[in-house]
Amino acid sequence: MSKKVMAVNAGSSSVKFKLFNMPEEVVICSGMADRVGWEDAQFKIKYEGGEKKVTLPILDHEVAVKLILDSLIEEKIVSSYDEIEIVGHRVVQGGKYYDDSVMFDDQVAERVTSLISLAPLHNKPNLMGFETFKKLLPNAKNVAVFDTSFHQTMAPQDYMFPIPYEFYEKYDIRRYGFHGTSHKYLSIEGQKLIKDSKTNRIVTCHIGSGASITAIRDGKCVATSMGLTPLGGVMMGTRTGDIDPSVMWYACKMENKDIFEMYDIFNKKSGMLGVSGFSNDSRDIDTAMAKGDERAILTDNLFIRRTVDFIAQYIARLGGADLIVFSAGIGENSPKFRRLVIEELKGAFGLELDEVANKIRGSIQVISTPNSKIKLAVIPTDEELMIARDCMRISK
Ligand code: ADP
């Protein structure tokens, strides 16, 4: 019997949702409440044969969820709330506790609460989403799907930082990695493209405004670029990625700012935005580059360099690779980004790009020639589908 499963991603000022018929994996509708907490918030819903977009006050998460559920009834997508049997919640930080998705009950909520200090921007709204759905859909099952669980298979030498060991013991300071739901999805879909290969080694590149790269062997994460928080790893739209930690100290000293202010700058005003000085969107950078803007050219070069360094490191870490996957906003939609990355790697690793296939945007496609020593592919990520699949698996 088919079940209606809703995947939910509750952020600090938005609630995104996608409703599926499972196990058929058919999307019934999707949408989001954006600018939650504002008078001029927006609500969007898209379903087969229709689309609705309205601006209205959405003062908190409960109002947002109620709006989502009521619009399902209004648009005759469901006839009662009870038709939604399972709600899968994205939870960003699961700490060391969860190596898989779990039924989301009060005990799990308590654990997620205890992890708020590690991920305040994310875990708090994720919990709000859970509490609201629990209240409004008392008969539905809830499942927590953590960004961190896929990365729990890393070995200590891959997740420990070389800092005093007691910081790990006392405060659990270590690499957790994020975007795990996406990397897991890419690994599952990627394995279908290399099913004839004797080995199963994949480097997945989730490159959007947040970006991370993961080394995966036999479907298990070996290494990943994000760290204690999603600030680590490759350069991103507004985040630094990895930098010498003394930059924090020296920049605070010279700018006369405290670490909280600087941490905010590293998260929200660095990366592409910081270097270019005008945008965190790769399309704006491309437009400015075409006009010869030197800072835009530097931004692009730096972005490519940092991506390439991680991919190269991970190919070595896996003892070679069978597949490199490009995904998320930039990875899926920018042939230029992929071409420049592959250009840098091709000499060392024998890569050969199929220029025509590389023109693809936003759909699954092998983009290497048969001669390439490592297969290259674009795979659009689908974190919501992964959440819905986990709902079915976990709530049995
Ligand atoms: P996130 O989910 O982390 O917010 P996305 O995966 O949606 O981010 O990626 C958003 C980024 O993808 C945008 O900032 C933009 O730079 C880039 N992007 C989206 N579409 C294109 C495109 N057609 N060409 C180049 N870059 C694109």
Side-chain angles (χ1 to χ4, degrees), residues 369-381:
T369 68
N371 287 334
S372 184
K373 294 230 169 69
I374 301 175
K375 208 174 232 187
L376 310 166
V378 173
I379 303 180
T381 195

Side-chain angles (χ1 to χ4, degrees), residues 16 179 206-211 237 239 272 280-284 286 327-335 337 361 381 383:
K16 294 187 191 142
H179 288 148
H206 177 116
I207 312 290
S209 49
R239 293 176 227 160
M272 281 190 193
N280 64 339
D281 192 310
S282 68
R283 289 163 289 193
D284 296 339
D286 286 349
S327 195
I330 300 172
E332 286 167 28
N333 295 305
S334 175
F337 166 77
R361 287 174 197 265
T381 195
E383 286 155 294

Side-chain angles (χ1 to χ4, degrees), residues 203-352:
V203 178
T204 48
C205 307
H206 177 116
I207 312 290
S209 49
S212 66
I213 301 182
T214 296
I216 302 166
R217 181 184 291 118
D218 298 327
K220 292 198 167 62
C221 168
V222 168
T224 192
S225 61
M226 282 178 168
L228 175 73
T229 72
L231 181 59
V234 290
M235 173 176 164
M236 302 175 222
T238 62
R239 293 176 227 160
T240 56
D242 288 355
I243 51 172
D244 173 354
S246 48
V247 175
M248 175 61 111
W249 154 74
Y250 194 66
C252 281
K253 187 172 102 144
M254 299 311 283
E255 284 277 299
N256 199 20
K257 288 189 169 20
D258 66 27
I259 49 166
F260 300 104
E261 289 172 283
M262 196 52 72
Y263 183 61
D264 206 51
I265 291 174
F266 285 2
N267 264 295
K268 297 184 189 150
K269 297 191 176 141
S270 301
M272 281 190 193
L273 174 62
V275 180
S276 70
F278 64 87
S279 179
N280 64 339
D281 192 310
S282 68
R283 289 163 289 193
D284 296 339
I285 307 289
D286 286 349
T287 308
M289 276 173 77
K291 293 182 190 143
D293 183 305
E294 284 188 15
R295 287 264 292 281
I297 295 168
L298 172 65
T299 305
D300 198 59
N301 287 342
L302 193 50
F303 194 77
I304 300 290
R305 165 71 53 253
R306 300 205 144 221
T307 308
V308 164
D309 283 354
F310 265 97
I311 298 175
Q313 190 191 131
Y314 286 170
I315 295 173
R317 181 71 189 72
L318 292 169
D322 305 293
L323 176 70
I324 301 172
V325 176
F326 293 92
S327 195
I330 300 172
E332 286 167 28
N333 295 305
S334 175
K336 180 210 115 203
F337 166 77
R338 298 188 296 255
R339 181 171 41 76
L340 292 176
V341 166
I342 291 158
E343 193 67 33
E344 294 264 321
L345 290 163
K346 72 174 188 194
F349 298 106
L351 308 184
E352 215 176 280

